[in-house]
């Protein structure tokens, strides 16, 4: 029995040693796993920090992109506005300015015509007045058969004045007065 008891003792010691070695092995493995877990945690933490930095950088890039878009839109608007202004100025100078110049020329011509007309009317009145004064001094009908006595009488009866009749018929005021006196109307 000694052998069996000894064997049993040695078997129990062997099992205990194997069990202790197994525990030591498991402890060492656990230490390695713990180190690995810490390294993984540290790596994950670094990755999380990097992800946060990247997200922050993406937001900054998006903000810069929005700012750039706004700036580009403003620049495009300003460029289009400037181009439209230049186009309008160009059209103004090529199409409207000649019309304006022509209108100003016509206005000047119109004013000249009005002034000339006034000058002509003034001149005509002066000539008529001079003819009347001349005819008052000397009464000689220019052509005695040319005076339409009936028309003079008719116009006087219609309410025309002596001056108006003389002017209309282009005869002297004295001739009109003579004809009216001869017809006993004046």
């Amino acid at each position: 029995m000694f052998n069996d008891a000894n064997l049993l003792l040695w078997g129990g010691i062997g099992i205990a040693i194997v069990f202790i070695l197994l525990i030591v092995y498991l402890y060492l493995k656990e230490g390695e796993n713990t180190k690995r877990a810490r390294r993984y945690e540290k790596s994950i933490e670094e990755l999380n920090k990097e992800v946060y930095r990247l997200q922050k950088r993406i937001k900054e890039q998006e903000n810069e992109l929005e700012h750039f878009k706004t700036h580009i839109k403003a620049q495009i608007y300003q460029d289009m506005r400037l181009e439209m202004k230049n186009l309008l100025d160009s059209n103004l100078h090529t199409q409207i300015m000649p019309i304006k110049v022509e209108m100003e020329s016509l206005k000047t011509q119109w004013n000249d015509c009005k002034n000339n007309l006034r000058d002509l009317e003034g001149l005509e009145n002066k000539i008529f007045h001079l003819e009347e004064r001349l005819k008052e001094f000397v009464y000689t009908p220019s052509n005695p058969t040319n005076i339409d006595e009936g028309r003079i009488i008719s116009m006087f009866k219609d309410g025309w004045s002596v001056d108006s009749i003389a002017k209309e018929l282009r005869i002297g005021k004295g001739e009109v007065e003579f004809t009216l006196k001869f017809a006993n109307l004046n």
Side-chain angles (χ1 to χ4, degrees):
M1 273 224 79
F2 180 66
N3 272 342
D4 271 340
N6 206 5
L7 191 61
L8 195 54
L9 179 65
W10 282 110
I13 292 177
I15 291 175
I17 290 176
V18 169
F19 186 70
I20 289 175
L21 285 176
L22 185 63
I23 289 177
V24 169
Y25 176 76
L26 288 175
Y27 179 74
L28 289 176
K29 278 296 193 185
E30 182 63 28
E32 279 182 32
N33 286 340
T34 304
K35 284 182 185 178
R36 276 189 200 150
R38 284 186 189 149
R39 278 190 300 212
Y40 289 146
E41 285 176 359
K42 189 175 181 181
S43 294
I44 289 172
E45 188 176 320
E46 289 296 320
L47 286 174
N48 282 336
K49 286 180 182 178
E50 188 64 27
V51 165
Y52 175 75
R53 279 182 279 199
L54 288 174
Q55 286 176 341
K56 187 176 177 183
R57 189 167 176 203
I58 288 171
K59 285 184 182 179
E60 288 172 357
Q61 292 290 329
E62 286 175 347
N63 288 339
E64 287 179 18
L65 183 62
E66 283 300 317
H67 179 71
F68 182 71
K69 282 181 184 178
T70 304
H71 178 72
I72 290 296
K73 285 179 183 176
Q75 187 66 36
I76 289 171
Y77 172 75
Q78 188 172 358
D79 290 348
M80 287 179 65
R81 188 170 171 248
L82 182 62
E83 187 176 331
M84 287 176 67
K85 182 185 179 296
N86 289 338
L87 184 63
L88 285 173
D89 287 345
S90 171
N91 284 341
L92 177 71
H93 289 297
T94 59
Q95 294 176 359
I96 295 174
M97 289 304 285
I99 294 171
K100 182 180 176 189
V101 168
E102 184 66 26
M103 286 179 64
E104 287 174 357
S105 172
L106 289 173
K107 183 178 177 183
T108 303
Q109 289 176 4
W110 172 254
N111 287 334
D112 290 346
C113 286
K114 282 188 348 187
N115 291 336
N116 289 340
L117 185 61
R118 281 189 207 120
D119 292 344
L120 285 175
E121 286 175 353
L123 190 58
E124 185 179 283
N125 286 337
K126 285 179 183 177
I127 290 171
F128 182 71
H129 183 65
L130 287 174
E131 285 177 351
E132 287 298 315
R133 290 190 67 201
L134 182 63
K135 289 179 183 179
E136 286 176 7
F137 290 115
V138 178
Y139 173 71
T140 52
S142 53
N143 188 356
T145 59
N146 200 14
I147 299 173
D148 189 1
E149 295 174 357
R151 189 163 178 210
I152 293 172
I153 294 169
S154 170
M155 290 173 77
F156 185 77
K157 286 182 179 178
D158 288 340
W160 288 60
S161 68
V162 173
D163 290 334
S164 300
I165 295 169
K167 192 173 186 179
E168 179 69 23
L169 298 177
R170 298 196 179 268
I171 58 175
K173 187 176 167 185
E175 292 179 52
V176 174
E177 288 175 346
F178 180 75
T179 303
L180 293 174
K181 280 183 184 180
F182 189 69
N184 291 325
L185 293 175
N186 195 0

